[in-house]
Amino acid sequence: MKKLTNDFGNIVADNQNSLTAGPQGPLLIQDYILLEKLAHQNRERIPERTVHAKGSGAYGELRITADISKYTKAKVLQKGEVTPLFLRFSTVAGEIGAADAERDLRGFAIKFYTKEGNWDIVGNNTPVFFVRDPYKFPDFIHTQKRDPKTNLRSANAAWDFWTLCPESLHQVMILMSDRGIPASYRHMHGFGSHTYSLINNENQRFWVKFHFKTQQGIKNLTNAQAESLIAKDRESHQRDLYESIQKGEFPKWTFQIQILAEDEAEKLGFNPFDLTKVWPHHLVPLIEIGEIILNKNVENYFNEVEQSAFSPSNIVPGISFSPDKMLQARIFSYPDAHRYRIGTNYHLLPINRAKSEVNTYNVAGSMNFDTYRNAQAYYEPNSYSDSPKEHKEYLEPDLKIGEKAQRYAPLDEDYYSQPKALFDLMNAQQKDQLFENVAASMDGVDSIVIQRALHHFEKISPCYADGVKKALERLKHAD
């Protein structure tokens, strides 16, 4: 029989009774096992993520089946390459105890353990977002969280913000559509959302968007179906993902990209780096380049899912950034959040650690369990040939930017054409769902905010505004 020990291997003689001064006496502080157990319990939870707090994850592979070497020199994207990955799904607005089947965006974050370091795509299940300037991001998140006075979620706050920031209308329409509640994580698409760049061996830059199309088919829930499911199972998506993989029904997504040459970006007619807009497929077709498959569940949820940390700052040679303002801000904010939430050396945890060689001069910090390998120098530059050195051949091509720094307004105020295009694609049933979902979400919203929303809907389509008005009237009479 195995002997019970504490965290340091000290054998525990009695794990049932505290050490006391007499049978009724007070506790003794020398009972270090008791103190260790209580102290550890106090620290069993790390702060939950500000957003994407509740998640599910699994391991898998990326398989590249097409030759796109003319666009990128990244080894991970070369034909025939197979790369291990970890994918974390999540809800966005809810806390760690939120129900899986709530109307919300879903996070779609992938960590690729490539031969050249970790490459992270921190995406969602939608191709756009609510805001395009990070200045607005903290305020937007506040509207999705609890009112600090009532500690309740506020539909009025959400709609007040959305209607005062009409760039949100595109994402709001997707959120309120039939796709606002995926039936499971397996039955939804994933998107990198941002514009990134690919760089080839000739040091040419191409703008790129990443898409992951579910091979299981799109399946969604209505409000009524979701309410019924949540009443029985708050972990429906977690359960579905875990059990599907356990049964060998491995979920797959087709990996596709959109490519624009650096000098072709103008053909879109709008800012290609605007996170609230999509690149129309008739202008920039999808190119299929491979697939991802999830084929292994985690062994320890806390270690592997809760402590997993993703950031768009994790890139590899041949893949890089763009002038997307939201992407630029996330490059800072994500690693900063991880250092606060998990610790300075979160990158050393097995789930986050690169499988490729790592050579750095970063030292010390809380919970640093790494082996220091720089024998002759702990600084750079240094005189020793066996110490890590910079490699200028990995410099990226020049990026042309404006010469004046100021707080520029958006390049356009076209908030309505892409939501109109999406609305026109919907069939009658989808439109009816949209009207009912929007009306239901406006419960408790001030009339001035509702009227502002209807004014925006009218600009998208008179049918949109009229449909929501009628849905609101039906709800009013039902009450």
Side-chain angles (χ1 to χ4, degrees):
M1 181 182 295
K2 292 182 179 178
K3 295 183 177 66
L4 178 65
T5 73
N6 71 350
D7 289 342
F8 295 93
N10 306 135
I11 296 174
V12 178
D14 184 343
N15 197 45
Q16 314 303 320
N17 306 292
S18 301
L19 188 63
T20 61
Q24 301 182 58
L27 297 171
L28 297 183
I29 200 169
Q30 76 177 56
D31 192 349
Y32 69 97
I33 298 294
L34 170 65
L35 301 183
E36 182 180 281
K37 290 177 71 173
L38 294 177
H40 186 89
Q41 182 185 34
N42 287 344
R43 293 159 177 82
E44 283 181 352
R45 301 293 182 268
I46 57 178
E48 70 174 41
R49 292 166 170 86
T50 306
V51 289
H52 299 275
K54 185 180 183 184
S56 303
Y59 296 96
E61 293 177 339
L62 167 67
R63 300 166 180 169
I64 301 298
T65 56
D67 182 2
I68 58 168
S69 56
K70 64 181 178 180
Y71 299 126
T72 181
K73 60 188 175 184
K75 292 179 181 178
V76 64
L77 296 180
Q78 300 309 306
K79 185 176 181 179
E81 192 73 11
V82 178
T83 303
L85 63 85
F86 181 76
L87 198 160
R88 184 180 186 269
F89 304 97
S90 58
T91 52
V92 176
E95 298 92 351
I96 203 164
D100 287 348
E102 293 183 357
R103 183 169 297 278
D104 195 0
L105 268 64
R106 301 298 187 277
F108 198 99
I110 317 174
K111 185 178 297 295
F112 301 100
Y113 301 99
T114 89
K115 297 172 182 175
E116 300 176 291
N118 286 358
W119 170 38
D120 290 355
I121 293 180
V122 189
N124 288 321
N125 69 325
T126 66
V128 296
F129 195 62
F130 295 94
V131 295
R132 55 189 171 187
D133 192 312
Y135 233 57
K136 293 184 177 182
F137 183 74
D139 294 292
F140 162 67
I141 294 301
H142 287 166
T143 72
Q144 303 301 296
K145 295 294 186 177
R146 296 178 182 273
D147 184 320
K149 180 179 180 180
T150 66
N151 198 39
L152 299 172
R153 299 277 290 275
S154 171
N156 192 72
W159 277 104
D160 192 30
F161 182 91
W162 290 338
T163 55
L164 290 171
C165 299
E167 69 265 31
S168 297
L169 292 172
H170 195 177
Q171 179 67 285
V172 170
M173 184 181 288
I174 298 173
L175 177 63
M176 295 298 165
S177 75
D178 58 329
R179 297 196 180 190
I181 313 178
S184 80
Y185 290 132
R186 296 181 298 124
H187 294 94
M188 67 183 195
H189 295 330
F191 301 88
S193 301
H194 296 289
T195 299
Y196 293 88
S197 57
L198 298 180
I199 299 168
N200 65 16
N201 282 315
E202 283 69 50
N203 233 18
Q204 296 172 309
R205 179 185 285 110
F206 298 85
W207 304 123
V208 63
K209 281 185 177 288
F210 300 112
H211 302 250
F212 302 91
K213 299 301 180 70
T214 176
Q215 295 183 17
Q216 289 69 241
I218 291 288
K219 290 185 181 180
N220 304 298
L221 301 173
T222 65
N223 283 347
Q225 289 170 328
E227 289 170 5
S228 176
L229 179 59
I230 290 171
K232 300 174 183 176
D233 187 359
R234 296 179 63 82
E235 276 64 56
S236 56
H237 290 32
Q238 163 77 21
R239 193 179 314 281
D240 174 85
L241 179 68
Y242 185 88
E243 292 181 352
S244 296
I245 294 175
Q246 285 296 97
K247 290 185 292 187
E249 298 173 1
F250 302 141
K252 296 179 180 180
W253 286 261
T254 301
F255 186 19
Q256 299 175 320
I257 60 174
Q258 288 179 288
I259 289 285
L260 270 179
E262 194 169 15
D263 58 359
E264 288 182 333
E266 297 300 322
K267 79 177 189 179
L268 291 177
F270 57 84
N271 179 8
F273 314 115
D274 184 339
L275 186 55
T276 65
K277 292 183 169 66
V278 298
W279 292 0
H281 293 177
H282 71 277
L283 293 177
V284 192
L286 290 167
I287 303 170
E288 184 175 327
I289 67 169
E291 71 173 13
I292 61 174
I293 179 172
L294 298 182
N295 52 23
K296 180 185 176 185
N297 279 315
V298 303
E299 295 295 329
N300 184 304
Y301 180 88
F302 180 83
N303 288 359
E304 298 163 79
V305 180
E306 186 63 15
Q307 292 195 124
S308 62
F310 305 80
S311 173
S313 60
N314 292 336
I315 58 167
V316 294
I319 303 172
S320 191
F321 313 120
S322 81
D324 180 339
K325 293 180 182 180
M326 287 292 290
L327 173 60
Q328 294 281 319
R330 293 177 85 198
I331 290 168
F332 159 74
S333 66
Y334 275 60
D336 186 59
H338 303 325
R339 285 186 284 266
Y340 162 73
R341 193 177 72 90
I342 309 173
T344 304
N345 289 296
Y346 71 93
H347 59 284
L348 297 178
L349 295 170
I351 188 63
N352 300 321
R353 190 160 191 157
K355 298 184 185 299
S356 60
E357 183 177 350
V358 175
N359 297 307
T360 177
Y361 290 97
N362 292 333
V363 296
S366 176
M367 301 300 291
N368 189 323
F369 54 88
D370 203 14
T371 299
Y372 193 69
R373 298 179 179 85
N374 301 329
Q376 290 185 286
Y378 50 90
Y379 53 89
E380 209 280 328
N382 61 65
S383 305
Y384 304 101
S385 59
D386 61 345
S387 296
K389 299 292 191 299
E390 64 190 17
H391 284 266
K392 292 190 181 296
E393 63 266 31
Y394 288 99
L395 286 173
E396 297 179 4
D398 295 342
L399 179 64
K400 297 176 183 177
I401 58 175
E403 297 177 352
K404 297 179 180 178
Q406 59 174 273
R407 299 185 185 276
Y408 289 97
L411 295 178
D412 69 68
E413 294 185 355
D414 179 9
Y415 308 124
Y416 308 109
S417 62
Q418 289 208 352
K420 181 183 186 304
L422 177 59
F423 184 79
D424 291 343
L425 285 174
M426 294 179 175
N427 59 36
Q429 182 181 6
Q430 290 173 318
K431 288 178 180 177
D432 286 341
Q433 273 195 307
L434 174 66
F435 304 151
E436 297 297 331
N437 293 338
V438 169
S441 74
M442 287 182 165
D443 183 30
V445 174
D446 292 342
S447 60
I448 187 174
V449 177
I450 293 176
Q451 291 306 310
R452 190 189 306 132
L454 292 172
H455 176 71
H456 286 304
F457 299 160
E458 180 78 25
K459 290 187 175 182
I460 294 172
S461 169
C463 177
Y464 187 9
D466 186 58
V468 173
K469 284 180 187 176
K470 291 178 178 177
L472 286 168
E473 284 297 317
R474 286 193 293 272
L475 284 178
K476 183 178 180 181
H477 290 136
D479 292 340

